[in-house]
Amino acid sequence: MVSGWKVLMLIMTVLISVLLHYEVDNDVLLVEKEVALPVTRAKAFLFLSELKNLKIWFPGVDSFEPVDSVPMGIGKHFTEIYHIPLYGDIETDNVILGFESPKYISFFSDTWLKRRIEIELERNEKQSKYPTMLTWKMYSRRRSYLFYYVMSPVISYICGCTARQALFSLRFAMQEP
């Protein structure tokens, strides 16, 4: 006779297997945040495209250094060291996927999350005090239904809080004295 626990474990194993096997069509959008910046789009892009500056405004990033002397553009590699509380420092490899001055920067990170960050800059016609609108998007290349339905809501919340703090710090860092 099969016990109830064994049947439950069998059903859970089959369910997890199915959710791991099937995938959503596109990368999973985890975070999308906007901030109005008090500098021109060209000035904002100049600051943001120097990815070493991430440590100034993004929480937890200790360093974001180029690996090679290749000029900034698609394919350039960076090493990032960031700190996770109660865990420690993690070193990851990052590669520029998109680079269009002064509008767009995108890079991929080789973390377990397989994250892709997109930074878009547009002119903000609504306010002269804040002439640039920045949109920050974070995607995960993990596409399984298990990740999409079980893990991404929690990760979205945590990363959303971090991104909100980062964009607030960025806005403050760009204030002209």
Side-chain angles (χ1 to χ4, degrees), residues 44-63:
F45 188 83
L46 185 65
F47 181 80
L48 292 166
S49 64
E50 187 63 45
L51 292 175
K52 289 180 183 181
N53 291 334
L54 270 171
K55 65 183 175 190
I56 295 171
W57 61 275
F58 205 90
V61 174
D62 293 335
S63 132

Side-chain angles (χ1 to χ4, degrees), residues 35 37 39-55 57-58 64 72 78 96 99 102-107 117-122 132-136 166-167 169-171 173-174:
V35 65
L37 299 175
V39 295
T40 65
R41 185 168 69 160
K43 216 175 202 181
F45 188 83
L46 185 65
F47 181 80
L48 292 166
S49 64
E50 187 63 45
L51 292 175
K52 289 180 183 181
N53 291 334
L54 270 171
K55 65 183 175 190
W57 61 275
F58 205 90
F64 205 97
M72 183 60 160
F78 289 85
I96 301 296
F99 188 81
K103 300 176 185 177
Y104 179 79
I105 303 170
S106 174
F107 59 92
I117 305 289
E118 291 184 357
I119 302 170
E120 297 176 46
L121 297 166
E122 295 178 1
T132 303
M133 182 62 72
L134 179 141
T135 304
W136 171 275
L167 295 179
S169 296
L170 176 64
R171 187 176 185 170
M174 292 205 162

